[in-house]
Amino acid sequence: MAPGSLSRLLQPVRDAAGRQIGPTTSDSALLERFVRHRDEAAFELLVWRHDRMVNSVCRRVLGRRQDVEDAWQATFLTLACKAGDIGDRRALAGWLYKVAFRIALRLRRGVAKREQGEPAAGHMDAVTASDELTVDVARREFQSIVHEEISRLPAKYRTPVVLCYIEGKTNEEAARQLGCPTSTVVTWLARARDRLRSRLTRRGLGATTATVAAALAGPESVSASSPALLQSTVGAALVFANDRTAAGLVSTRVALLTKGALHTMFLNRMRLVAAIVMGVGLAGAGSGLLAFRALADDPGSPPPVAGRPQAPNANPPRPAEAAQFEVAARPADDKDGKDKPKAKSKPDGQQKAEEVVTKSFKTGKAPSVTLEVFNGGITIVADAADAVDARLTKQARAATEEEAKEGLKNIEIDMKQDKDTVTITARRREKDRVSQESVSAEVRVPAGAVLDLRTDNGGVQVTGGTGNVAVQTANGSIQVKDGKGPMRLTTRNGSIAASGATGRVELSTSNGRIDLQAEKAVVTAHTSNGEVRFSGSLADGKHSLTTSNGRLQLTLPAGARFRVDATTSLGAIENDFGEGASARVGGVHLQTTVGDDPKATIMLKTSNGGIEIRKKKD
């Protein structure tokens, strides 16, 4: 069947699933529907939702495309068989991650053994094929090791890492899915990065926090699996879940990989039962329950080896912990001061030291403000009267109170003013230290302030203002509310939401959705993985809304005049302003003109999603 025909065949199924269940239905609810009612639509939405994450994990371990697809398919068939046994269904992403990694690793070992037994010529062919698929072997090996260490993290750390770094969710979205405060997710992510750095260092890789963050961020774009693979997997899921056979629906190797994963889980369960029995015999039912809880989160660990004692769990689960970011209140008239460092004991044994630095600058109504921090968020409120009031919070964590306080000394904050220009910079004197350091900022500025904001790891929020706003963060969401000026907002891993913009608006993220409301704006919005939504009016000029994976939605006034060129490779185009769509090989293309002599030209392009051009309702 041709790809275009297959896409049209699958589209009604996806649309029906979305109407019956809803795109925001939680993983827990979808799993429940599948377990109780064998709801194929619910399972399909789970596959589509976690497709790229599983694909990314398998790609990091395996080189050949066919190997990646086989491991990917075996992972979701394993989910179909074990869906009812998943304890915390909110943590499905972390469960899938671990299963995918174990299956891919098992397949890689099998491929390596097979190649070692092949003739020299065949071996050379295999190496050549691998070279063609791998741009940088050393980098892929390092990333594979990082994924191995992620799979060994406790579930409460592993799942936020998967959700935020690999699936591209914001901290807020991950918190909603996990049912915990955003501050808890932030804390878990920080501890996960620290554990990964320590483990990689012990393996002789000399990893820094920045290296780990770069490896976690991964490639800017991971393509979706083919519709044929998705269809065959969903079709085989129910059959395989019922009798562990799917003759003709999946390859023999996929079936063997799935059965191998299920067998490993069975052996782990037997080990768990043995641990409970031993616990009851040695210390009563209480110890048995603790043993059960310690082992329940290990879906893909290797089976025990006969005659070899098993190592105890080095990272037993702990109760949910919330981040503690207490900041002492300061009098309103204290404009320039510094709090004494405070050390707090953390539940995991770490000490945290904190220091607040404040300063106020007298300015005009439209000063230029440049602010740069690291490992922390930025909050700007544009409501001050001819002044810039800055409050920076320094934090450091370490094993001892002395090391945490030394970490604060490693942070240098420079705040200066040159006429109507204010520059605030936070930096580390030395980057490789035992402490974990960060600086966050809260600043009030005049409404007309021109802002240049930068952080390497944190979210940015701006409220109000009429001046230009430029924001750059490597890992965090960006939100600008009621900003009335031009905007240039860039993040590598996070969503972007902006309202009230005018003039030129440029939005870019590699992994996250974009939601923009603007009036009389010239718009450029691009994301590699997420949907793009625009509502408002467009100024004369060229506009571009693009995404590699997600739908596009454009909502314009009923009287808008424009030319549009819209293209999607996998999806449909809906246009409230009139027809003009023409089918072409490999996708759908729309070229049309709305109104007389339009001065606005709009380019809409997505590789995997629908396009909607809507009239604004009065």
Side-chain angles (χ1 to χ4, degrees), residues 142-291:
F142 173 73
Q143 291 173 337
S144 177
I145 293 172
V146 172
H147 278 267
E148 178 184 353
E149 294 299 343
I150 293 174
S151 73
R152 294 177 177 176
L153 290 172
K156 74 172 183 179
Y157 296 152
R158 182 175 70 247
T159 300
V161 167
V162 173
L163 291 174
C164 295
Y165 283 104
I166 301 177
E167 293 198 342
K169 288 181 171 59
T170 64
N171 294 341
E172 293 80 6
E173 291 169 340
R176 284 195 297 270
Q177 179 165 333
L178 297 174
C180 65
T182 303
S183 58
T184 302
V185 171
V186 173
T187 300
W188 287 343
L189 288 173
R191 291 174 183 169
R193 290 192 299 268
D194 184 52
R195 289 190 180 210
L196 290 172
R197 181 183 59 80
S198 299
R199 291 178 179 182
L200 292 172
T201 300
R202 286 200 297 269
R203 294 181 68 161
L205 297 178
T208 64
T209 301
T211 306
V212 172
L216 287 173
E220 292 191 354
S221 178
V222 177
S223 59
S225 299
S226 68
L229 181 62
L230 290 164
Q231 185 190 37
S232 64
T233 302
V234 174
L238 287 176
V239 178
F240 208 94
N242 289 332
D243 58 12
R244 302 296 192 266
T245 61
L249 297 177
V250 298
S251 68
T252 302
R253 184 164 74 160
V254 170
L256 291 175
L257 283 171
T258 306
K259 291 179 180 179
L262 295 174
H263 181 65
T264 298
M265 292 181 184
F266 173 77
L267 293 177
N268 288 340
R269 180 59 59 90
M270 293 300 98
R271 182 179 63 173
L272 183 150
V273 172
I276 294 175
V277 173
M278 183 178 296
V280 171
L282 294 176
S287 298
L289 179 60
L290 289 176

Side-chain angles (χ1 to χ4, degrees), residues 479-534:
Q479 181 178 3
V480 181
K481 183 178 180 181
D482 298 330
K484 303 301 182 183
M487 300 178 187
R488 187 174 72 254
L489 314 178
T490 304
T491 177
R492 190 172 65 184
N493 183 29
S495 61
I496 299 177
S499 64
T502 59
R504 180 165 292 278
V505 180
E506 300 177 15
L507 312 179
S508 176
T509 175
S510 297
N511 197 15
R513 62 178 289 174
I514 294 177
D515 199 332
L516 172 64
Q517 186 277 319
E519 300 297 334
K520 297 297 181 183
V522 178
V523 176
T524 300
H526 172 75
T527 175
S528 298
N529 187 25
E531 66 178 5
V532 179
R533 292 186 178 184
F534 172 85

Side-chain angles (χ1 to χ4, degrees), residues 31 69 357 453 547 615:
L31 273 175
E69 290 184 352
V357 180
L453 312 174
T547 176
K615 285 184 181 180

Side-chain angles (χ1 to χ4, degrees), residues 29 47 77-78 159 231 252 263 293 355 411 417 421 426 483:
V47 174
L77 290 181
T78 302
T159 300
Q231 185 190 37
T252 302
H263 181 65
R293 289 175 177 172
E355 181 180 320
I411 301 173
Q417 180 178 11
T421 299

